[in-house]
Amino acid sequence: MSTSAQPSKKVIVIGAGFAGLAAAASLAQRGYRVTVLEKNDGPGGRARVFKTQGFTFDMGPSWYWMPDVFEQFFARFGHTPADYYNLVRLDPSYRVVFGHNDYLDVPANMEALRRMFEQLEPGAGRRLDDFLSQAGYKYQVGMSKFVNKPGRSVLEFADPRLLVDAVRLDLLQNMHTHVRRFFRHPKLVELMEFPVLFLGATPQNTPALYSLMNYADLALGTWYPMGGMHEIVRGMVRVAEEQGVEFRYNQEVEQIEVQNGRATGVRTSSGLVAADVVVAGADYHHVEQHLLAPEHRHYSPKYWDTRTMAPSSLLFYVGLNKRLQNVRHHNLFFDEDFNHHAHEIYEAPRWPTKPLFYASVPSVTDPSVAPEGCENLFLLIPVAPGLGGDDEATRQRYYDIVMTRLEQHTGQSVRDAVVYCRSYAHRDFIDDYHAFKGNAYGLANTLRQTAILKPTLKSPKVSNLYFTGQLTVPGPGVPPSLISGQVVAGEVEKENALVS
Ligand SMILES: Cc1cc2nc3c(=O)[nH]c(=O)nc-3n(C[C@H](O)[C@H](O)[C@H](O)COP(=O)(O)OP(=O)(O)OC[C@H]3O[C@@H](n4cnc5c(N)ncnc54)[C@H](O)[C@@H]3O)c2cc1C
């Protein structure tokens, strides 16, 4: 808590997503008085949850990667994740379906993984070791030296050790080329390229630095918090409350008040809430272009229009009145052409002709998320952001496409067991989160949108306005959002000292 006799400074955090929660807890711990204003009726943002008919549906993230990031967050407050949720490692980590009766179960055990690589391509087992040793180095350097940088000045990277590292970190090569230097078998190539989809860009457009994601995937493993991903949110809210953070839900911020280049507070439908500092954890584009008067905006509509946004998603939350055969917790359906689908997301945006999709079945691991004898099924189709035509007929068409393939590949009827189904896509992301173009995962981590090339974490025009979350540093995903909140808290503290 603050040691000052002065009343401590008041921070308003807009949005109770992972980034807003991390920022709020970290700032309260440093002695600021923190209030979180959230437009929805509960915390979590894209990681909200809803319960119906005995099913518990995580609405967004389902992959728990980089457990070290969560450990470090809770450790700041003298806790461990185990104080809030029971984490289990999945084995197999996930299934990749390539066609009928043609799939790979990716083992958690490294020796078994090596054997799987070797069987598909002689020599690939040894090359996997080389690949992961490089990827492990990138993970270690990336996480300790890059990811925690606020990205406000190129000088942050002007450290001779980082320049030496830059070569080993493969900043100038892309993932597409990098993966093919090690592996030829198409299944191995797809397996190694899949994690960059989390970064919202194609392998061609993603720096090979991000093979660190393969290390996260294959070496650190895929985990699951029993009860669902929302348990992380609940744990973070408890940590924040322990630090004294106040949460106000159903409080949509409509405007940020600015006087003489400083934010004086925010306006909601309930009135003005004064602040010494504002941290915006809501989507950057929305805050900048809609909550600030034009003269206080740093970026133009053209700037935003030319950003590469990460994809949106067409989602189905499905409750089944039976258990499924032949499914794992995580199932990636790569039974159509990956490049063609990517082309329809990034280069020629349109509703995909033959989409890849992902099916999560958390009830395989966790009986609490579905009634007994039932299954909880979450289907995700990545789609281009900003598409028109998000209507019921379109959603139904894709529901039929993915259900047909799910039934074919798992060899059973599924549709006749559906007792609950809710769809979710662009217009929901916009209504619920003010997501620019209905994006699901924020701004893509492309070569040209990394570190200082991302929308800046501090407003250049409003001296006490900061941004956090998946559209600024370090990027999209739950672990990066957690890091983003902690980084912004550090910047606020540097520039808004509690004791004068
Ligand atoms: C379908 C889906 C699947 C995903 N899968 C994974 C995964 O498996 N693993 C992974 O690591 N990541 C995954 N992600 C990405 C991850 O969920 C996000 O990167 C992360 O949750 C973003 O957190 P955030 O705090 O930046 O933003 P958000 O979660 O969007 O939080 C922003 C908050 O601001 C609020 N807000 C907006 N406008 C206002 C306003 N005017 N006033 C007040 N409040 C406002 C919103 O309601 C929201 O609560 C997935 C995302 C989606 C959508």
Side-chain angles (χ1 to χ4, degrees), residues 15 17-19 38-40 45-46 61-63 253 281-282 286 434 469-470 477-478:
F18 280 114
E38 165 57 53
K39 80 182 269 292
N40 291 322
R46 280 151 166 99
S62 53
W63 298 74
V253 173
H286 162 68
H434 295 302
Q470 60 174 355
V478 176

mmCIF file with all atom_site columns, all heavy atoms in Angstrom, residues 15 17-19 38-40 45-46 61-63 253 281-282 286 434 469-470 477-478, ligand 1:
data_model
loop_
_atom_site.group_PDB
_atom_site.id
_atom_site.type_symbol
_atom_site.label_atom_id
_atom_site.label_alt_id
_atom_site.label_comp_id
_atom_site.label_asym_id
_atom_site.label_entity_id
_atom_site.label_seq_id
_atom_site.pdbx_PDB_ins_code
_atom_site.Cartn_x
_atom_site.Cartn_y
_atom_site.Cartn_z
_atom_site.occupancy
_atom_site.B_iso_or_equiv
_atom_site.pdbx_formal_charge
_atom_site.auth_seq_id
_atom_site.auth_comp_id
_atom_site.auth_asym_id
_atom_site.auth_atom_id
_atom_site.pdbx_PDB_model_num
ATOM   1   N N   . GLY A 1 15  ? -12.592 -2.017  -18.548 1.00 0.00 ? 15  GLY A N   1
ATOM   2   C CA  . GLY A 1 15  ? -12.664 -3.391  -19.044 1.00 0.00 ? 15  GLY A CA  1
ATOM   3   C C   . GLY A 1 15  ? -12.063 -4.400  -18.089 1.00 0.00 ? 15  GLY A C   1
ATOM   4   O O   . GLY A 1 15  ? -10.960 -4.219  -17.584 1.00 0.00 ? 15  GLY A O   1
ATOM   5   N N   . GLY A 1 17  ? -11.263 -7.634  -18.820 1.00 0.00 ? 17  GLY A N   1
ATOM   6   C CA  . GLY A 1 17  ? -10.652 -8.789  -19.489 1.00 0.00 ? 17  GLY A CA  1
ATOM   7   C C   . GLY A 1 17  ? -9.353  -9.122  -18.770 1.00 0.00 ? 17  GLY A C   1
ATOM   8   O O   . GLY A 1 17  ? -9.001  -8.509  -17.754 1.00 0.00 ? 17  GLY A O   1
ATOM   9   N N   . PHE A 1 18  ? -8.613  -10.098 -19.312 1.00 0.00 ? 18  PHE A N   1
ATOM   10  C CA  . PHE A 1 18  ? -7.367  -10.511 -18.647 1.00 0.00 ? 18  PHE A CA  1
ATOM   11  C C   . PHE A 1 18  ? -6.409  -9.332  -18.472 1.00 0.00 ? 18  PHE A C   1
ATOM   12  O O   . PHE A 1 18  ? -5.771  -9.195  -17.422 1.00 0.00 ? 18  PHE A O   1
ATOM   13  C CB  . PHE A 1 18  ? -6.669  -11.611 -19.451 1.00 0.00 ? 18  PHE A CB  1
ATOM   14  C CG  . PHE A 1 18  ? -7.263  -12.972 -19.229 1.00 0.00 ? 18  PHE A CG  1
ATOM   15  C CD1 . PHE A 1 18  ? -7.906  -13.640 -20.246 1.00 0.00 ? 18  PHE A CD1 1
ATOM   16  C CD2 . PHE A 1 18  ? -7.182  -13.574 -17.983 1.00 0.00 ? 18  PHE A CD2 1
ATOM   17  C CE1 . PHE A 1 18  ? -8.456  -14.901 -20.046 1.00 0.00 ? 18  PHE A CE1 1
ATOM   18  C CE2 . PHE A 1 18  ? -7.731  -14.839 -17.759 1.00 0.00 ? 18  PHE A CE2 1
ATOM   19  C CZ  . PHE A 1 18  ? -8.371  -15.501 -18.796 1.00 0.00 ? 18  PHE A CZ  1
ATOM   20  N N   . ALA A 1 19  ? -6.290  -8.493  -19.500 1.00 0.00 ? 19  ALA A N   1
ATOM   21  C CA  . ALA A 1 19  ? -5.323  -7.391  -19.411 1.00 0.00 ? 19  ALA A CA  1
ATOM   22  C C   . ALA A 1 19  ? -5.763  -6.384  -18.349 1.00 0.00 ? 19  ALA A C   1
ATOM   23  O O   . ALA A 1 19  ? -4.960  -5.946  -17.520 1.00 0.00 ? 19  ALA A O   1
ATOM   24  C CB  . ALA A 1 19  ? -5.180  -6.710  -20.775 1.00 0.00 ? 19  ALA A CB  1
ATOM   25  N N   . GLU A 1 38  ? -16.673 -2.095  -16.157 1.00 0.00 ? 38  GLU A N   1
ATOM   26  C CA  . GLU A 1 38  ? -16.860 -3.129  -17.190 1.00 0.00 ? 38  GLU A CA  1
ATOM   27  C C   . GLU A 1 38  ? -18.273 -3.027  -17.739 1.00 0.00 ? 38  GLU A C   1
ATOM   28  O O   . GLU A 1 38  ? -19.235 -2.993  -16.979 1.00 0.00 ? 38  GLU A O   1
ATOM   29  C CB  . GLU A 1 38  ? -16.596 -4.513  -16.574 1.00 0.00 ? 38  GLU A CB  1
ATOM   30  C CG  . GLU A 1 38  ? -17.091 -5.697  -17.382 1.00 0.00 ? 38  GLU A CG  1
ATOM   31  C CD  . GLU A 1 38  ? -16.532 -5.773  -18.802 1.00 0.00 ? 38  GLU A CD  1
ATOM   32  O OE1 . GLU A 1 38  ? -15.297 -5.725  -18.964 1.00 0.00 ? 38  GLU A OE1 1
ATOM   33  O OE2 . GLU A 1 38  ? -17.347 -5.873  -19.752 1.00 0.00 ? 38  GLU A OE2 1
ATOM   34  N N   . LYS A 1 39  ? -18.392 -3.010  -19.064 1.00 0.00 ? 39  LYS A N   1
ATOM   35  C CA  . LYS A 1 39  ? -19.709 -2.842  -19.682 1.00 0.00 ? 39  LYS A CA  1
ATOM   36  C C   . LYS A 1 39  ? -20.611 -4.066  -19.502 1.00 0.00 ? 39  LYS A C   1
ATOM   37  O O   . LYS A 1 39  ? -21.830 -3.954  -19.428 1.00 0.00 ? 39  LYS A O   1
ATOM   38  C CB  . LYS A 1 39  ? -19.574 -2.504  -21.165 1.00 0.00 ? 39  LYS A CB  1
ATOM   39  C CG  . LYS A 1 39  ? -19.299 -3.676  -22.084 1.00 0.00 ? 39  LYS A CG  1
ATOM   40  C CD  . LYS A 1 39  ? -19.125 -3.256  -23.537 1.00 0.00 ? 39  LYS A CD  1
ATOM   41  C CE  . LYS A 1 39  ? -20.406 -3.268  -24.323 1.00 0.00 ? 39  LYS A CE  1
ATOM   42  N NZ  . LYS A 1 39  ? -20.978 -4.591  -24.546 1.00 0.00 ? 39  LYS A NZ  1
ATOM   43  N N   . ASN A 1 40  ? -20.011 -5.255  -19.447 1.00 0.00 ? 40  ASN A N   1
ATOM   44  C CA  . ASN A 1 40  ? -20.832 -6.464  -19.333 1.00 0.00 ? 40  ASN A CA  1
ATOM   45  C C   . ASN A 1 40  ? -21.161 -6.756  -17.856 1.00 0.00 ? 40  ASN A C   1
ATOM   46  O O   . ASN A 1 40  ? -20.657 -6.083  -16.962 1.00 0.00 ? 40  ASN A O   1
ATOM   47  C CB  . ASN A 1 40  ? -20.124 -7.648  -19.991 1.00 0.00 ? 40  ASN A CB  1
ATOM   48  C CG  . ASN A 1 40  ? -20.069 -7.457  -21.512 1.00 0.00 ? 40  ASN A CG  1
ATOM   49  O OD1 . ASN A 1 40  ? -21.021 -6.954  -22.111 1.00 0.00 ? 40  ASN A OD1 1
ATOM   50  N ND2 . ASN A 1 40  ? -18.969 -7.815  -22.124 1.00 0.00 ? 40  ASN A ND2 1
ATOM   51  N N   . GLY A 1 45  ? -14.188 -10.638 -20.058 1.00 0.00 ? 45  GLY A N   1
ATOM   52  C CA  . GLY A 1 45  ? -14.121 -10.205 -21.453 1.00 0.00 ? 45  GLY A CA  1
ATOM   53  C C   . GLY A 1 45  ? -14.330 -11.392 -22.373 1.00 0.00 ? 45  GLY A C   1
ATOM   54  O O   . GLY A 1 45  ? -15.280 -12.170 -22.191 1.00 0.00 ? 45  GLY A O   1
ATOM   55  N N   . ARG A 1 46  ? -13.422 -11.559 -23.309 1.00 0.00 ? 46  ARG A N   1
ATOM   56  C CA  . ARG A 1 46  ? -13.568 -12.660 -24.272 1.00 0.00 ? 46  ARG A CA  1
ATOM   57  C C   . ARG A 1 46  ? -13.519 -14.025 -23.585 1.00 0.00 ? 46  ARG A C   1
ATOM   58  O O   . ARG A 1 46  ? -13.850 -15.035 -24.194 1.00 0.00 ? 46  ARG A O   1
ATOM   59  C CB  . ARG A 1 46  ? -12.513 -12.547 -25.358 1.00 0.00 ? 46  ARG A CB  1
ATOM   60  C CG  . ARG A 1 46  ? -12.909 -11.513 -26.438 1.00 0.00 ? 46  ARG A CG  1
ATOM   61  C CD  . ARG A 1 46  ? -11.695 -10.918 -27.051 1.00 0.00 ? 46  ARG A CD  1
ATOM   62  N NE  . ARG A 1 46  ? -11.944 -10.193 -28.290 1.00 0.00 ? 46  ARG A NE  1
ATOM   63  C CZ  . ARG A 1 46  ? -12.066 -8.864  -28.358 1.00 0.00 ? 46  ARG A CZ  1
ATOM   64  N NH1 . ARG A 1 46  ? -12.073 -8.133  -27.263 1.00 0.00 ? 46  ARG A NH1 1
ATOM   65  N NH2 . ARG A 1 46  ? -12.197 -8.275  -29.537 1.00 0.00 ? 46  ARG A NH2 1
ATOM   66  N N   . PRO A 1 61  ? -11.288 -18.430 -24.890 1.00 0.00 ? 61  PRO A N   1
ATOM   67  C CA  . PRO A 1 61  ? -10.098 -19.278 -24.885 1.00 0.00 ? 61  PRO A CA  1
ATOM   68  C C   . PRO A 1 61  ? -10.341 -20.646 -24.275 1.00 0.00 ? 61  PRO A C   1
ATOM   69  O O   . PRO A 1 61  ? -11.127 -20.795 -23.332 1.00 0.00 ? 61  PRO A O   1
ATOM   70  C CB  . PRO A 1 61  ? -9.086  -18.486 -24.047 1.00 0.00 ? 61  PRO A CB  1
ATOM   71  C CG  . PRO A 1 61  ? -9.856  -17.443 -23.345 1.00 0.00 ? 61  PRO A CG  1
ATOM   72  C CD  . PRO A 1 61  ? -11.100 -17.197 -24.130 1.00 0.00 ? 61  PRO A CD  1
ATOM   73  N N   . SER A 1 62  ? -9.645  -21.627 -24.831 1.00 0.00 ? 62  SER A N   1
ATOM   74  C CA  . SER A 1 62  ? -9.756  -22.992 -24.310 1.00 0.00 ? 62  SER A CA  1
ATOM   75  C C   . SER A 1 62  ? -8.389  -23.659 -24.158 1.00 0.00 ? 62  SER A C   1
ATOM   76  O O   . SER A 1 62  ? -8.292  -24.693 -23.529 1.00 0.00 ? 62  SER A O   1
ATOM   77  C CB  . SER A 1 62  ? -10.642 -23.836 -25.230 1.00 0.00 ? 62  SER A CB  1
ATOM   78  O OG  . SER A 1 62  ? -10.180 -23.745 -26.552 1.00 0.00 ? 62  SER A OG  1
ATOM   79  N N   . TRP A 1 63  ? -7.347  -23.075 -24.746 1.00 0.00 ? 63  TRP A N   1
ATOM   80  C CA  . TRP A 1 63  ? -5.998  -23.657 -24.642 1.00 0.00 ? 63  TRP A CA  1
ATOM   81  C C   . TRP A 1 63  ? -5.243  -22.927 -23.549 1.00 0.00 ? 63  TRP A C   1
ATOM   82  O O   . TRP A 1 63  ? -5.069  -21.713 -23.613 1.00 0.00 ? 63  TRP A O   1
ATOM   83  C CB  . TRP A 1 63  ? -5.225  -23.497 -25.954 1.00 0.00 ? 63  TRP A CB  1
ATOM   84  C CG  . TRP A 1 63  ? -5.816  -24.190 -27.131 1.00 0.00 ? 63  TRP A CG  1
ATOM   85  C CD1 . TRP A 1 63  ? -6.923  -23.808 -27.823 1.00 0.00 ? 63  TRP A CD1 1
ATOM   86  C CD2 . TRP A 1 63  ? -5.332  -25.388 -27.755 1.00 0.00 ? 63  TRP A CD2 1
ATOM   87  N NE1 . TRP A 1 63  ? -7.163  -24.696 -28.852 1.00 0.00 ? 63  TRP A NE1 1
ATOM   88  C CE2 . TRP A 1 63  ? -6.190  -25.667 -28.832 1.00 0.00 ? 63  TRP A CE2 1
ATOM   89  C CE3 . TRP A 1 63  ? -4.251  -26.236 -27.509 1.00 0.00 ? 63  TRP A CE3 1
ATOM   90  C CZ2 . TRP A 1 63  ? -6.014  -26.762 -29.664 1.00 0.00 ? 63  TRP A CZ2 1
ATOM   91  C CZ3 . TRP A 1 63  ? -4.067  -27.326 -28.350 1.00 0.00 ? 63  TRP A CZ3 1
ATOM   92  C CH2 . TRP A 1 63  ? -4.937  -27.589 -29.411 1.00 0.00 ? 63  TRP A CH2 1
ATOM   93  N N   . VAL A 1 253 ? -18.233 2.655   -20.380 1.00 0.00 ? 253 VAL A N   1
ATOM   94  C CA  . VAL A 1 253 ? -17.622 3.976   -20.514 1.00 0.00 ? 253 VAL A CA  1
ATOM   95  C C   . VAL A 1 253 ? -18.015 4.540   -21.876 1.00 0.00 ? 253 VAL A C   1
ATOM   96  O O   . VAL A 1 253 ? -17.861 3.877   -22.907 1.00 0.00 ? 253 VAL A O   1
ATOM   97  C CB  . VAL A 1 253 ? -16.083 3.882   -20.372 1.00 0.00 ? 253 VAL A CB  1
ATOM   98  C CG1 . VAL A 1 253 ? -15.431 5.226   -20.672 1.00 0.00 ? 253 VAL A CG1 1
ATOM   99  C CG2 . VAL A 1 253 ? -15.718 3.394   -18.980 1.00 0.00 ? 253 VAL A CG2 1
ATOM   100 N N   . GLY A 1 281 ? -8.402  -1.047  -21.019 1.00 0.00 ? 281 GLY A N   1
ATOM   101 C CA  . GLY A 1 281 ? -8.227  -2.462  -21.344 1.00 0.00 ? 281 GLY A CA  1
ATOM   102 C C   . GLY A 1 281 ? -9.270  -2.929  -22.346 1.00 0.00 ? 281 GLY A C   1
ATOM   103 O O   . GLY A 1 281 ? -9.274  -4.084  -22.746 1.00 0.00 ? 281 GLY A O   1
ATOM   104 N N   . ALA A 1 282 ? -10.160 -2.026  -22.749 1.00 0.00 ? 282 ALA A N   1
ATOM   105 C CA  . ALA A 1 282 ? -11.124 -2.347  -23.804 1.00 0.00 ? 282 ALA A CA  1
ATOM   106 C C   . ALA A 1 282 ? -10.382 -2.282  -25.142 1.00 0.00 ? 282 ALA A C   1
ATOM   107 O O   . ALA A 1 282 ? -9.270  -1.773  -25.219 1.00 0.00 ? 282 ALA A O   1
ATOM   108 C CB  . ALA A 1 282 ? -12.266 -1.339  -23.783 1.00 0.00 ? 282 ALA A CB  1
ATOM   109 N N   . HIS A 1 286 ? -11.609 0.917   -30.311 1.00 0.00 ? 286 HIS A N   1
ATOM   110 C CA  . HIS A 1 286 ? -12.858 1.468   -29.761 1.00 0.00 ? 286 HIS A CA  1
ATOM   111 C C   . HIS A 1 286 ? -12.547 2.654   -28.850 1.00 0.00 ? 286 HIS A C   1
ATOM   112 O O   . HIS A 1 286 ? -13.179 3.718   -28.944 1.00 0.00 ? 286 HIS A O   1
ATOM   113 C CB  . HIS A 1 286 ? -13.591 0.351   -28.996 1.00 0.00 ? 286 HIS A CB  1
ATOM   114 C CG  . HIS A 1 286 ? -14.630 0.832   -28.042 1.00 0.00 ? 286 HIS A CG  1
ATOM   115 N ND1 . HIS A 1 286 ? -15.809 1.429   -28.442 1.00 0.00 ? 286 HIS A ND1 1
ATOM   116 C CD2 . HIS A 1 286 ? -14.670 0.815   -26.675 1.00 0.00 ? 286 HIS A CD2 1
ATOM   117 C CE1 . HIS A 1 286 ? -16.526 1.754   -27.371 1.00 0.00 ? 286 HIS A CE1 1
ATOM   118 N NE2 . HIS A 1 286 ? -15.858 1.403   -26.293 1.00 0.00 ? 286 HIS A NE2 1
ATOM   119 N N   . HIS A 1 434 ? -17.202 -4.374  -28.385 1.00 0.00 ? 434 HIS A N   1
ATOM   120 C CA  . HIS A 1 434 ? -16.795 -3.285  -29.288 1.00 0.00 ? 434 HIS A CA  1
ATOM   121 C C   . HIS A 1 434 ? -15.564 -3.699  -30.092 1.00 0.00 ? 434 HIS A C   1
ATOM   122 O O   . HIS A 1 434 ? -14.620 -2.926  -30.249 1.00 0.00 ? 434 HIS A O   1
ATOM   123 C CB  . HIS A 1 434 ? -16.480 -2.005  -28.504 1.00 0.00 ? 434 HIS A CB  1
ATOM   124 C CG  . HIS A 1 434 ? -17.675 -1.418  -27.809 1.00 0.00 ? 434 HIS A CG  1
ATOM   125 N ND1 . HIS A 1 434 ? -18.807 -1.037  -28.476 1.00 0.00 ? 434 HIS A ND1 1
ATOM   126 C CD2 . HIS A 1 434 ? -17.909 -1.145  -26.506 1.00 0.00 ? 434 HIS A CD2 1
ATOM   127 C CE1 . HIS A 1 434 ? -19.694 -0.560  -27.625 1.00 0.00 ? 434 HIS A CE1 1
ATOM   128 N NE2 . HIS A 1 434 ? -19.174 -0.623  -26.423 1.00 0.00 ? 434 HIS A NE2 1
ATOM   129 N N   . GLY A 1 469 ? -3.843  -4.740  -23.378 1.00 0.00 ? 469 GLY A N   1
ATOM   130 C CA  . GLY A 1 469 ? -4.714  -5.737  -24.011 1.00 0.00 ? 469 GLY A CA  1
ATOM   131 C C   . GLY A 1 469 ? -4.182  -6.216  -25.335 1.00 0.00 ? 469 GLY A C   1
ATOM   132 O O   . GLY A 1 469 ? -3.086  -5.857  -25.768 1.00 0.00 ? 469 GLY A O   1
ATOM   133 N N   . GLN A 1 470 ? -5.011  -7.025  -25.987 1.00 0.00 ? 470 GLN A N   1
ATOM   134 C CA  . GLN A 1 470 ? -4.507  -7.797  -27.126 1.00 0.00 ? 470 GLN A CA  1
ATOM   135 C C   . GLN A 1 470 ? -4.301  -6.983  -28.414 1.00 0.00 ? 470 GLN A C   1
ATOM   136 O O   . GLN A 1 470 ? -3.877  -7.539  -29.415 1.00 0.00 ? 470 GLN A O   1
ATOM   137 C CB  . GLN A 1 470 ? -5.419  -8.989  -27.384 1.00 0.00 ? 470 GLN A CB  1
ATOM   138 C CG  . GLN A 1 470 ? -6.853  -8.611  -27.694 1.00 0.00 ? 470 GLN A CG  1
ATOM   139 C CD  . GLN A 1 470 ? -7.687  -9.814  -28.084 1.00 0.00 ? 470 GLN A CD  1
ATOM   140 O OE1 . GLN A 1 470 ? -7.191  -10.916 -28.211 1.00 0.00 ? 470 GLN A OE1 1
ATOM   141 N NE2 . GLN A 1 470 ? -8.975  -9.600  -28.307 1.00 0.00 ? 470 GLN A NE2 1
ATOM   142 N N   . GLY A 1 477 ? -3.745  -13.324 -27.179 1.00 0.00 ? 477 GLY A N   1
ATOM   143 C CA  . GLY A 1 477 ? -3.639  -14.553 -26.387 1.00 0.00 ? 477 GLY A CA  1
ATOM   144 C C   . GLY A 1 477 ? -3.752  -14.239 -24.906 1.00 0.00 ? 477 GLY A C   1
ATOM   145 O O   . GLY A 1 477 ? -3.518  -13.099 -24.484 1.00 0.00 ? 477 GLY A O   1
ATOM   146 N N   . VAL A 1 478 ? -4.114  -15.245 -24.135 1.00 0.00 ? 478 VAL A N   1
ATOM   147 C CA  . VAL A 1 478 ? -4.283  -15.028 -22.692 1.00 0.00 ? 478 VAL A CA  1
ATOM   148 C C   . VAL A 1 478 ? -2.947  -14.665 -22.026 1.00 0.00 ? 478 VAL A C   1
ATOM   149 O O   . VAL A 1 478 ? -2.860  -13.637 -21.344 1.00 0.00 ? 478 VAL A O   1
ATOM   150 C CB  . VAL A 1 478 ? -4.949  -16.245 -22.014 1.00 0.00 ? 478 VAL A CB  1
ATOM   151 C CG1 . VAL A 1 478 ? -5.029  -16.031 -20.514 1.00 0.00 ? 478 VAL A CG1 1
ATOM   152 C CG2 . VAL A 1 478 ? -6.344  -16.481 -22.598 1.00 0.00 ? 478 VAL A CG2 1
HETATM 153 C C1  . LIG B 2 .   ? -13.102 -17.581 -29.437 1.00 0.00 ? 1   LIG B C1  1
HETATM 154 C C2  . LIG B 2 .   ? -11.762 -17.244 -28.856 1.00 0.00 ? 1   LIG B C2  1
HETATM 155 C C3  . LIG B 2 .   ? -10.868 -18.261 -28.603 1.00 0.00 ? 1   LIG B C3  1
HETATM 156 C C4  . LIG B 2 .   ? -9.620  -17.962 -28.047 1.00 0.00 ? 1   LIG B C4  1
HETATM 157 N N1  . LIG B 2 .   ? -8.781  -18.986 -27.750 1.00 0.00 ? 1   LIG B N1  1
HETATM 158 C C5  . LIG B 2 .   ? -7.651  -18.736 -27.044 1.00 0.00 ? 1   LIG B C5  1
HETATM 159 C C6  . LIG B 2 .   ? -6.929  -19.797 -26.470 1.00 0.00 ? 1   LIG B C6  1
HETATM 160 O O1  . LIG B 2 .   ? -7.322  -20.950 -26.589 1.00 0.00 ? 1   LIG B O1  1
HETATM 161 N N2  . LIG B 2 .   ? -5.803  -19.499 -25.751 1.00 0.00 ? 1   LIG B N2  1
HETATM 162 C C7  . LIG B 2 .   ? -5.380  -18.202 -25.590 1.00 0.00 ? 1   LIG B C7  1
HETATM 163 O O2  . LIG B 2 .   ? -4.350  -17.965 -24.931 1.00 0.00 ? 1   LIG B O2  1
HETATM 164 N N3  . LIG B 2 .   ? -6.083  -17.155 -26.107 1.00 0.00 ? 1   LIG B N3  1
HETATM 165 C C8  . LIG B 2 .   ? -7.213  -17.398 -26.803 1.00 0.00 ? 1   LIG B C8  1
HETATM 166 N N4  . LIG B 2 .   ? -7.992  -16.369 -27.261 1.00 0.00 ? 1   LIG B N4  1
HETATM 167 C C9  . LIG B 2 .   ? -7.513  -14.994 -27.117 1.00 0.00 ? 1   LIG B C9  1
HETATM 168 C C10 . LIG B 2 .   ? -7.726  -14.466 -25.708 1.00 0.00 ? 1   LIG B C10 1
HETATM 169 O O3  . LIG B 2 .   ? -8.983  -14.831 -25.243 1.00 0.00 ? 1   LIG B O3  1
HETATM 170 C C11 . LIG B 2 .   ? -7.613  -12.934 -25.736 1.00 0.00 ? 1   LIG B C11 1
HETATM 171 O O4  . LIG B 2 .   ? -6.354  -12.577 -26.297 1.00 0.00 ? 1   LIG B O4  1
HETATM 172 C C12 . LIG B 2 .   ? -7.723  -12.294 -24.360 1.00 0.00 ? 1   LIG B C12 1
HETATM 173 O O5  . LIG B 2 .   ? -8.785  -12.837 -23.621 1.00 0.00 ? 1   LIG B O5  1
HETATM 174 C C13 . LIG B 2 .   ? -7.904  -10.781 -24.560 1.00 0.00 ? 1   LIG B C13 1
HETATM 175 O O6  . LIG B 2 .   ? -7.992  -10.158 -23.317 1.00 0.00 ? 1   LIG B O6  1
HETATM 176 P P1  . LIG B 2 .   ? -8.129  -8.559  -23.253 1.00 0.00 ? 1   LIG B P1  1
HETATM 177 O O7  . LIG B 2 .   ? -8.158  -8.224  -21.815 1.00 0.00 ? 1   LIG B O7  1
HETATM 178 O O8  . LIG B 2 .   ? -7.088  -7.923  -24.102 1.00 0.00 ? 1   LIG B O8  1
HETATM 179 O O9  . LIG B 2 .   ? -9.501  -8.200  -23.991 1.00 0.00 ? 1   LIG B O9  1
HETATM 180 P P2  . LIG B 2 .   ? -11.025 -8.550  -23.631 1.00 0.00 ? 1   LIG B P2  1
HETATM 181 O O10 . LIG B 2 .   ? -11.129 -9.889  -23.069 1.00 0.00 ? 1   LIG B O10 1
HETATM 182 O O11 . LIG B 2 .   ? -11.845 -8.258  -24.819 1.00 0.00 ? 1   LIG B O11 1
HETATM 183 O O12 . LIG B 2 .   ? -11.388 -7.499  -22.478 1.00 0.00 ? 1   LIG B O12 1
HETATM 184 C C14 . LIG B 2 .   ? -11.801 -6.189  -22.777 1.00 0.00 ? 1   LIG B C14 1
HETATM 185 C C15 . LIG B 2 .   ? -12.959 -5.841  -21.864 1.00 0.00 ? 1   LIG B C15 1
HETATM 186 O O13 . LIG B 2 .   ? -13.333 -4.471  -22.066 1.00 0.00 ? 1   LIG B O13 1
HETATM 187 C C16 . LIG B 2 .   ? -14.755 -4.383  -21.986 1.00 0.00 ? 1   LIG B C16 1
HETATM 188 N N5  . LIG B 2 .   ? -15.206 -3.148  -22.665 1.00 0.00 ? 1   LIG B N5  1
HETATM 189 C C17 . LIG B 2 .   ? -15.207 -2.878  -23.988 1.00 0.00 ? 1   LIG B C17 1
HETATM 190 N N6  . LIG B 2 .   ? -15.657 -1.621  -24.205 1.00 0.00 ? 1   LIG B N6  1
HETATM 191 C C18 . LIG B 2 .   ? -15.960 -1.108  -22.987 1.00 0.00 ? 1   LIG B C18 1
HETATM 192 C C19 . LIG B 2 .   ? -16.472 0.141   -22.561 1.00 0.00 ? 1   LIG B C19 1
HETATM 193 N N7  . LIG B 2 .   ? -16.746 1.129   -23.432 1.00 0.00 ? 1   LIG B N7  1
HETATM 194 N N8  . LIG B 2 .   ? -16.691 0.343   -21.231 1.00 0.00 ? 1   LIG B N8  1
HETATM 195 C C20 . LIG B 2 .   ? -16.405 -0.630  -20.325 1.00 0.00 ? 1   LIG B C20 1
HETATM 196 N N9  . LIG B 2 .   ? -15.908 -1.837  -20.684 1.00 0.00 ? 1   LIG B N9  1
HETATM 197 C C21 . LIG B 2 .   ? -15.672 -2.075  -22.007 1.00 0.00 ? 1   LIG B C21 1
HETATM 198 C C22 . LIG B 2 .   ? -15.223 -5.634  -22.665 1.00 0.00 ? 1   LIG B C22 1
HETATM 199 O O14 . LIG B 2 .   ? -16.554 -5.948  -22.330 1.00 0.00 ? 1   LIG B O14 1
HETATM 200 C C23 . LIG B 2 .   ? -14.211 -6.665  -22.141 1.00 0.00 ? 1   LIG B C23 1
HETATM 201 O O15 . LIG B 2 .   ? -14.675 -7.226  -20.930 1.00 0.00 ? 1   LIG B O15 1
HETATM 202 C C24 . LIG B 2 .   ? -9.254  -16.617 -27.793 1.00 0.00 ? 1   LIG B C24 1
HETATM 203 C C25 . LIG B 2 .   ? -10.162 -15.591 -28.055 1.00 0.00 ? 1   LIG B C25 1
HETATM 204 C C26 . LIG B 2 .   ? -11.414 -15.906 -28.569 1.00 0.00 ? 1   LIG B C26 1
HETATM 205 C C27 . LIG B 2 .   ? -12.390 -14.801 -28.803 1.00 0.00 ? 1   LIG B C27 1
#
